[in-house]
Amino acid sequence: MTRLSGITPSGPGHVGNYLGAIRRWAREGSPDDLYFVSDLHAMTSPYHPQKLRGRTRELMAILVAAGIEPGTLFVQSDLLAQLGPLTWVLECGCAFGEAARMTQFKEKSTDRTHEGTPVRVGLFTYPVLMAADILLQGVDEVPVGDDQAQHVELARVLARRFNGTYGEAFVVPRAVTPPAGARIRDLADPSRKMDKSARDSAGVLFVLDEPDLLRRKVKRAVTDSLGRLEYRPEEQPGLANLLDILAACQGKPPREVVAGFTSYGEVKDAVAEAVVEELRPVRERTRELLADPAELDRIRAVGGERATERGAHRLKTVLRLAGVA
Ligand code: TYM
């Protein structure tokens, strides 16, 4: 059983990424897995090259600090020479309507954060590049949060279609989502998911935020005026989100976590402390790693080489079957 997953450096990593994805990659990963920073995906909306480099490095450090086996880590752009051709092959097997159905594209292409800037073709084809990331490596499972499950589904469709049309080249992978923490919401606006590139970071708990800032953000989280201490995501999304975070930190179901509290204030205090303690070792270790650029460069080089070697044979087969090599 091998797994692969990635994270895009479109902003600093947050607690949704951590609880929904990174922590599981660290806990459940094996030495045959692959985890990576998808810097090519960050180019799909306006960005600054220098900032992108810095964020890629920072996320690599967070992944190492979270306990992911360093030998399994790489940076997506180090595989550009393989991903470019494979993405093209897969794009030629993907219907326009299939890409247009992707919820994330629909949301991001109408997002007002970048109002006035044109929507990039890369944003539209991004799920196909993601399919290339996955299919190049022949993995069985793709551990992601809820928001990426639809993209993994597209990768399955494209893999089956290629195998059926041109010959067996791809393993058909499946998405696996966590039982708790699969969709953490913005604390200031629980109708939105917690997002790295949110315009306002008041409701986003970043992995590298200092403890006091984390506490302040949790204290200001939007709840409701019902005063009912129950887990009801539809009726009380703000409170339910806090309970989801606490549940994910404690490894219990949210309905169990809510018992024992007598006020929203108590819930917030418990969430703040749980998040601070969960993130403290990761933040401290990330800071140490960022102070040692040579070590991060070494990890990146080793992982990149391993992933490139692993993908080479499959790409050759695909191009041959597709009639272009
Ligand atoms: P990205 O960077 O948006 O998110 C990284 C991981 O974090 C999960 N996640 C969340 N989980 C819970 N609550 C949230 N609010 C939340 N926000 C994000 C995501 O589901 C994801 O698992 N396109 C991908 C990166 C990628 C990839 C891949 C993933 C590129 N190629 C191949 C898997 C396989 C992305 O932008 O994730």
Side-chain angles (χ1 to χ4, degrees):
M1 176 73 65
T2 54
R3 301 185 180 92
L4 166 141
S5 202
I7 179 163
T8 303
S10 46
H14 56 66
V15 83
N17 302 133
Y18 185 74
L19 296 173
I22 298 171
R23 190 179 67 169
R24 292 178 65 223
W25 305 345
R27 287 186 180 170
E28 296 163 21
S30 80
D32 285 337
D33 291 357
L34 289 162
Y35 300 101
F36 63 99
V37 180
S38 42
D39 53 350
L40 301 173
H41 280 188
M43 298 167 67
T44 55
S45 29
Y47 73 98
H48 300 286
Q50 238 2 68
K51 258 195 199 161
L52 174 58
R53 242 185 263 285
R55 282 182 175 149
T56 299
R57 188 174 199 81
E58 188 179 281
L59 273 177
M60 272 296 271
I62 289 177
L63 299 183
V64 178
I68 296 173
E69 165 77 36
T72 65
L73 287 172
F74 69 95
V75 174
Q76 187 186 29
S77 56
D78 291 341
L79 269 68
L80 190 54
Q82 294 179 344
L83 291 173
L86 184 55
T87 302
W88 179 249
V89 171
L90 293 172
E91 278 179 10
C92 293
C94 180
F96 182 87
E98 283 171 326
R101 264 201 298 281
M102 295 294 115
T103 318
Q104 202 172 69
F105 172 73
K106 287 196 239 167
E107 280 171 12
K108 289 204 172 165
S109 57
T110 50
D111 187 353
R112 307 245 298 279
T113 314
H114 300 301
E115 210 162 16
T117 49
V119 173
R120 301 179 176 199
V121 173
L123 184 67
F124 185 70
T125 57
Y126 152 125
V128 188
L129 172 58
M130 182 163 157
D133 292 330
I134 300 168
L135 300 179
L136 178 65
Q137 305 295 348
V139 294
D140 309 296
E141 287 190 348
V142 186
V144 285
D146 273 352
D147 62 332
Q148 295 294 331
Q150 194 189 27
H151 294 161
V152 181
E153 191 49 44
L154 180 68
R156 288 165 60 84
V157 169
L158 300 183
R160 281 205 206 95
R161 185 171 299 148
F162 187 96
N163 288 349
T165 312
Y166 302 109
E168 284 295 319
F170 296 121
V171 174
V172 181
R174 62 176 172 277
V176 283
T177 51
R183 189 177 180 86
I184 303 293
R185 294 164 181 281
D186 188 299
L187 300 188
D189 178 1
S191 69
R192 300 171 68 95
K193 72 167 185 180
M194 194 175 279
D195 192 344
K196 291 184 221 93
S197 40
R199 199 179 345 187
D200 180 0
S201 63
V204 184
L205 303 172
F206 293 115
V207 174
L208 299 185
D209 278 348
E210 294 294 326
D212 277 348
L213 182 55
L214 290 172
R215 289 190 185 100
R216 258 182 283 141
K217 287 180 176 176
V218 174
K219 282 225 161 71
R220 289 205 203 111
V222 167
T223 49
D224 55 71
S225 52
L226 300 173
R228 278 176 69 166
L229 278 156
E230 282 176 58
Y231 179 71
R232 301 192 306 159
E234 290 298 319
E235 297 85 349
Q236 296 176 271
L239 178 65
N241 188 39
L242 291 171
L243 294 169
D244 278 332
I245 295 173
L246 190 56
C249 290
Q250 296 183 347
K252 292 183 191 158
R255 278 179 220 288
E256 206 172 292
V257 161
V258 70
F261 289 116
T262 57
S263 69
Y264 291 177
E266 275 179 23
V267 174
K268 287 184 174 178
D269 286 345
V271 170
E273 287 323 302
V275 170
V276 164
E277 288 318 313
E278 187 72 44
L279 297 183
R280 186 190 303 280
V282 184
R283 179 172 46 88
E284 288 173 357
R285 180 82 187 108
T286 303
R287 297 261 178 249
E288 285 168 17
L289 283 159
L290 287 172
D292 186 0
E295 173 65 359
L296 281 176
D297 287 345
R298 195 191 59 79
I299 292 172
R300 174 174 177 166
V302 170
E305 219 166 280
R306 177 172 165 256
T308 305
E309 261 171 37
R310 183 168 152 166
H313 180 67
R314 182 162 287 101
L315 177 62
K316 241 175 145 178
T317 306
V318 168
L319 294 177
R320 183 174 48 76
L321 289 171
V324 288

